[in-house]
Each structure stands twice: as C-alpha cells, then as structure tokens.
Amino acid sequence: MVCLFAAAGMMGVFLPATVVHAGEITVYTSYEEDEAAAFLAAARRDLPDIKVNMLRLSTGDLHARMLAESANPRHDVIWGWAVTNMVDPRILNMLESYQPQGIEKVPARFRDAKNRWFATTGYMAAFCVNNEVLKRRNLPMPTSWEDLLKPKFKGEVVMPNPASSGTGYLQIASILQMKGEERGWRYLEALDKNIAQYIKSGSRPCNAASAGEFAVGASFALRAIKNIDEGFPITMVIPSEGAGNELEATGLMKSSRNKKDAKRFIDWALSANAVNEYYKWKEIVTVSGGTMPKNFVAAGLPEDIGSVMVDMDFDWSATNRDRILNTWQQRLER
C-alpha cells in the first residue's frame, strides 16, 4: 500500500439519548459492512472495557441523518466518513477539535487545520467487468469512461446513485472535474443512454456485474478485488482517464456525553493495530506502516496508486455537492 496523501446496518444497540454509561460510546460510520465489522472487531479487542455501538449507513444517508439529528446528536464519534461530506460547514460545526495520539503519522494534507477531522483511509473508482458477459455478447473490454459510450454497451452498465452513495458522487464529481462542467454534463447525459440502473449502494453495481446481470458495474476498487478473490469472473478496470477517489475521515462530536472514551476510540484509530487492519481492506491508506497485499496487486491495482488517481478537489466537491446533485436529479435520476 502506497502511503497517499451503503442500506443501513446496525451493529450494537442504541441507548436512549438521555442514558449514559461510562465505557459506552456510539459511533456512526459509512465504512462498507465487511470493513466496518473487521475494524470494529479489532477495536473491541484492543478496548475491551468500552462498549462500542455502531450504526452503519451509506454516505448520503448518513449525511441526511446527521443533519436531521443536529439539534440533538445521538453519537459520540463519526468514523470513516467521506471528507466531501465532513467538510460541510453544518457538519464541521458539530465537531470538536481534538489531536489524537499518533496524529503526526497523518500528513497535514489529510487532516483539518483546526483538528476537527483526520483521514486515515480512502477508496477509488473502478469498473467491475464480467468476462463471461463480454464474451457471450461480443463486447470489447472497456478501458475508459469514454469506452462506456459505445452503442454496444446500451443497457449493460450500472452505476451508484450519487444522491445516496459516496462512490457514486465521487464518480460524478471526478468526471466534472476532469472534463469541466459543460463537457462533463454532456458526457453524463450521453452515458445515461447506456445505463440500465442507478443503484443506491457503491458496492452493488460490482455485485450485479459479478453475478452476470450486467457487463459493467461502475463501483470501487476494493469491491472488485474482493469479488475477484471470491471467484467471480470479473476484471477490475481502472479507467484510463484516472480514478476518482474519496478520503474517509474521523472526528469527535461536540455533543458527546462520554468524551473520555470517545477520545480513546479515536486514539485507537491511529494505533498500529488499526493501521494493520486498514492495509488489509483499503486501497488508500494515508498512514505509513503497512504493505499492499499481494491479492491487490494480482487484481491489477498498481503499487504506485497515486499514478492512477485523479487529483480531486475535495473542497470543490463539498461546496458544489448540493448543486451537482440537484442538477443530476433533474437531468438523470429515474
């Protein structure tokens, strides 16, 4: 691993907002379900005296929930959530400055100047292409976003819905940033003619392609790698124009009723054991100390991952998020 730079699932049990016990915290996350389960298990091993309740929601759904609960937040820590959403001023206002132990291991460009958040992990866009469907339908192997415009791919492409999926939004935002907005929207409208479905989750397009329902699922690299490891007949394709990407951040809620243990959990997120877990699961890790797994390389992920990543402007993505999503919903949502 080069040091750079989804539906709700409930793990643990919520307590009423007024009930507080020492040694118990609630964490909100948008890590994928299997990632979240692995990371949480590691945290519980290292922090056995803290009961960690966790709510997992897709990026967009978690954003909506946090805004809806802003008058009375129900959690102590936001963990592994898209930086593009974290830098929303309404969210930043809910966060308390905190410098966790080990923060010096995270390069300054991957943390907030006011210490309200830091990013340890990230993910990037990739296509999951079903080799058997390509052969059966005499389709060429796509290597770029432009290839998906070919008439042969009509009805053969699925993408995440950017209004609910962080992966979907980074795909749209990266296309607009790479091409410029005018050309970018023209491209997306042309691509829409070949899209069979916009799916709520970032991982499900890959799963649908892996199952042979469609030829191409626009998803993210780790889902492609996992599905290849599970034996699905797919190829991971990183688009030649570059892979849009997102960083995943962690922060302390001002409203936390158990800041002592919330801070211990955040400190753990930068511990050696936590970082070792990240390297097992994430294609982008901002903290040094691990090695890219062999199966990542075998699936086609370059060891110099920075060479394929779009240089994302996260502030632009955040500032323009509502406008971009409104435009997408008006023009393309079904």
Side-chain angles (χ1 to χ4, degrees):
M1 186 71 60
V2 176
C3 178
L4 291 167
F5 3 120
M10 184 67 183
M11 302 179 190
V13 179
F14 269 122
L15 294 177
T18 55
V19 177
V20 179
H21 295 293
E24 183 164 1
I25 63 172
T26 295
V27 174
Y28 283 3
T29 188
S30 284
Y31 277 131
E32 289 293 308
E33 292 178 6
D34 46 4
E35 298 168 358
F39 298 160
L40 182 61
R44 286 173 170 165
R45 287 193 298 271
D46 291 345
L47 302 170
D49 57 324
I50 301 177
K51 181 179 180 182
V52 182
N53 304 312
M54 183 169 73
L55 175 69
R56 190 266 165 193
L57 291 168
S58 65
T59 301
D61 289 347
L62 185 52
H63 193 263
R65 184 179 183 116
M66 287 187 64
L67 293 179
E69 294 179 352
S70 60
N72 184 28
R74 297 174 59 85
H75 61 297
D76 302 277
V77 176
I78 183 70
W79 181 40
W81 194 40
V83 167
T84 299
N85 295 76
M86 190 78 92
V87 298
D88 181 329
R90 298 169 294 180
I91 301 296
L92 290 175
N93 191 49
M94 301 181 200
L95 301 177
E96 180 171 309
S97 295
Y98 176 58
Q99 287 188 281
Q101 295 178 26
I103 191 61
E104 68 281 354
K105 295 185 291 185
V106 180
R109 62 186 180 278
F110 302 130
R111 43 189 162 108
D112 177 49
K114 296 182 179 180
N115 298 310
R116 292 167 293 185
W117 60 263
F118 60 92
T120 54
T121 59
Y123 52 94
M124 68 181 196
F127 304 155
C128 298
V129 184
N130 190 297
N131 305 316
E132 295 178 352
V133 173
L134 291 190
K135 184 177 180 180
R136 187 165 64 246
R137 298 179 186 170
N138 193 29
L139 297 170
M141 176 65 72
T143 62
S144 65
W145 283 105
E146 286 297 320
D147 283 350
L148 299 185
L149 297 184
K150 294 177 180 178
K152 284 188 173 184
F153 284 103
K154 185 175 179 61
E156 292 293 346
V157 182
V158 285
M159 287 184 67
N161 184 321
S164 61
S165 163
T167 302
Y169 182 66
L170 79 83
Q171 290 173 356
I172 300 297
S174 66
I175 288 169
L176 295 176
Q177 289 184 30
M178 285 188 293
K179 295 179 177 293
E181 287 202 51
E182 185 176 344
R183 287 182 57 232
W185 283 116
R186 285 204 304 268
Y187 170 83
L188 291 170
E189 289 175 337
L191 179 63
D192 181 66
K193 295 179 172 62
N194 286 352
I195 298 292
Q197 295 178 29
Y198 295 103
I199 302 178
K200 190 171 186 178
S201 160
S203 58
R204 289 180 185 172
C206 186
N207 292 339
S210 298
E213 298 173 29
F214 306 96
V216 182
S219 185
F220 58 96
L222 251 294
R223 177 48 55 191
I225 292 168
K226 291 172 188 175
N227 287 12
I228 290 170
D229 287 347
E230 291 174 12
F232 288 99
I234 63 169
T235 295
M236 178 178 70
V237 173
I238 299 172
S240 60
E241 297 95 338
N245 52 89
E246 179 65 87
L247 298 177
E248 296 162 316
T250 295
L252 173 67
M253 297 296 292
K254 286 180 182 176
S255 57
S256 171
R257 296 172 175 83
N258 186 358
K259 288 184 181 173
K260 179 181 177 181
D261 288 316
K263 289 178 178 179
R264 287 180 60 204
F265 180 88
I266 292 172
D267 290 347
W268 173 85
L270 287 171
S271 68
N273 286 346
V275 172
N276 286 337
E277 286 296 319
Y278 301 150
Y279 274 94
K280 295 176 186 177
W281 290 90
K282 307 301 295 190
E283 63 264 54
I284 300 173
V285 180
T286 68
V287 190
S288 60
T291 302
M292 180 181 286
K294 292 181 180 179
N295 62 317
F296 288 22
V297 178
L301 198 67
E303 293 194 51
D304 180 11
I305 200 169
S307 66
V308 299
M309 290 171 61
V310 173
D311 186 12
M312 298 290 292
D313 184 339
F314 295 112
D315 286 335
W316 183 92
S317 296
T319 301
N320 293 283
R321 183 177 185 275
D322 289 346
R323 178 179 62 83
I324 289 169
L325 292 179
N326 287 337
T327 301
W328 185 87
Q329 289 169 326
Q330 291 168 10
R331 296 187 183 185
L332 300 173
E333 189 172 44
R334 304 171 189 172

